[in-house]
Structure formats: C-alpha cells, structure tokens
Amino acid sequence: ETGVTQSPTHLIKTRGQQVTLRCSSQSGHNTVSWYQQALGQGPQFIFQYYREEENGRGNFPPRFSGLQFPNYSSELNVNALELDDSALYLCASSLLVVSDTQYFGPGTRLTVL
Amino acid sequence: EDKVVQSPLSLVVHEGDTVTLNCSYEVTNFRSLLWYKQEKKAPTFLFMLTSSGIEKKSGRLSSILDKKELSSILNITATQTGDSAIYLCAVEAIQGAQKLVFGQGTRLTINP
C-alpha cells in the first residue's frame, strides 16, 4: 500500500449534480495529481497541485476544479455531472514536483445515472 | 498531441511462460517512462526508466527503454497467476506540471 487514501470508495450521482472527491497524500508528499480512468482506458491527467496552487491542467473543462490544503490533502470537484463523467478517479502523490514517482491511491468509482 | 501506445491490448498465456509487453510513445519534453501494474484499482509502481539501454530488474520483471526507437518493453519470466493484471505504461511529459500520459494498458491473464 502506498499511504495515499481516497474517499469515498464508490459514489452514485445523477446528471447535473455536483460531486466532491477527496485525497490524502502520502506523508511528506507536497504534490498531488488527479486522473480520470474510463472503463478499458488508461488514466487521463486532469490537473496537478503543488503547494496549494494548480501547477498544470489536462484537457478537461472548467467544471472540473480542485483544491489543495495546507496539509497537502486535496479535493476534486465536478459540477454539472454528465454521463461520460462515470469513471474511476485516481489521485497520485509525489515528493517532488518533477521527475519523481507518483504513488496512486485506490481511487473513487463514480457512476453518473 | 502526446501519445502512448501499448501492445498487445490483451494477452493470455499459461503459467510459467515468458511474456513481453510493448510500449511506444510520441511525447514532447520527455523526462521518463514508467510502468505500473493495476490489479483492482490503484496502479502500483513497477519501474521508472530515464536512460536508454539500461535494464531495470525486480525479481522476474525487467524493463528497458530505447530512446532512439521511442519505445520500452516489460518482460515477465516464469509467469504466475498472481501476475494477472493490467500493465500500464506512462510517459512523464513536463509541461509546467509533471503530467503522466498513459497508454491504454495491456490486460495480461495467466492461466494455471
């Protein structure tokens, strides 16, 4: 186990609703990245947070937003949920912001009906 | 656009066989290539490769990077049923953030 935890484990929402997913990074890690993994696909980069600031973003619309807190835990918020948002959401933490191994949490399975 | 392609997408072998998984990439600002094993949810880290031609080994698993060919292979010898998983290849591309670009994964099934 990596020490990265995520909550909740599973979540069911309906279209149009909003959702908040949480991630606690491994002890000492100040960088958190979020990924979306659709069924049968590899994870896709959503964004990264470093020392409470967004440090880069993938091709996701603004309704995907995030936060990082002083203890380096992080939240992913998704507004106006769409059916295609159904996926496994993974967070990963690393000690360094570049060229360092990212350690993944167990993920949150989001189903949008 | 950054791209990572893995092959085969699916592989079924018998216990004891040796397998080779392939990964090719087209990424700007390449920093490193990583292999992960995903059994249920969390991808678990296997290797990080930065230098071409240097093999990394861990038990029955080994991997090598070829920067000239923009590719990597992951070898698993004497496979066991516990090796059944999805193997993900990811390339680290630096564009402000340490962004990992993943391939689709290879689903490996080891039959007893």
Side-chain angles (χ1 to χ4, degrees):
Chain A
E1 291 208 359
T2 62
V4 181
T5 60
Q6 292 187 243
S7 63
T9 306
H10 297 93
L11 204 51
I12 299 175
K13 292 283 188 179
T14 56
R15 259 187 318 178
Q17 284 190 310
Q18 178 264 342
V19 69
T20 297
L21 310 181
R22 294 178 176 83
C23 171
S24 290
S25 59
Q26 190 163 315
S27 179
H29 286 189
N30 58 18
T31 304
V32 174
S33 303
W34 285 91
Y35 293 84
Q36 180 196 66
Q37 187 175 23
L39 206 58
Q41 302 295 317
Q44 273 195 288
F45 176 72
I46 304 175
F47 43 56
Q48 181 182 76
Y49 277 83
Y50 170 63
R51 292 186 175 178
E52 302 177 58
E53 298 284 333
E54 187 180 290
N55 188 43
R57 190 177 182 93
N59 294 327
F60 281 81
R63 59 189 185 83
F64 285 78
S65 63
L67 278 175
Q68 189 180 30
F69 300 99
N71 66 355
Y72 304 134
S73 66
S74 177
E75 283 182 359
L76 165 65
N77 299 291
V78 187
N79 293 322
L81 284 167
E82 300 176 1
L83 297 179
D84 284 350
D85 295 334
S86 295
L88 179 67
Y89 288 85
L90 296 162
C91 83
S93 74
S94 56
L95 183 60
L96 303 174
V97 72
V98 295
S99 293
D100 189 33
T101 303
Q102 293 189 14
Y103 294 94
F104 284 84
T108 293
R109 172 76 62 189
L110 173 65
T111 302
V112 182
L113 302 175
Chain B
E1 189 180 324
D2 296 337
K3 194 173 169 185
V4 176
V5 176
Q6 292 186 245
S7 64
L9 293 180
S10 181
L11 187 58
V12 181
V13 300
H14 288 106
E15 205 167 18
D17 287 352
T18 293
V19 298
T20 298
L21 311 183
N22 301 287
C23 175
S24 63
Y25 61 90
E26 292 175 28
V27 173
T28 53
N29 299 319
F30 172 91
R31 281 289 186 106
S32 63
L33 185 143
L34 298 92
W35 285 96
Y36 287 86
K37 177 182 181 183
Q38 187 174 31
E39 291 179 84
K40 289 181 183 174
K41 283 190 177 180
T44 54
F45 170 75
L46 296 174
F47 298 111
M48 176 187 271
L49 304 156
T50 55
S51 300
S52 199
I54 296 176
E55 186 182 45
K56 290 224 172 170
K57 290 194 78 167
S58 176
R60 297 177 293 103
L61 278 67
S62 64
S63 184
I64 196 161
L65 174 66
D66 186 338
K67 280 187 176 178
K68 189 177 174 186
E69 296 296 325
L70 306 183
S71 65
S72 173
I73 59 171
L74 175 69
N75 282 317
I76 309 175
T77 59
T79 52
Q80 302 170 357
T81 54
D83 295 327
S84 294
I86 295 171
Y87 289 84
L88 294 166
C89 171
V91 175
E92 180 191 6
I94 299 300
Q95 291 169 350
Q98 182 202 15
K99 164 184 150 180
L100 291 182
V101 180
F102 282 86
Q104 197 172 353
T106 293
R107 180 177 291 277
L108 176 64
T109 304
I110 312 295
N111 288 327

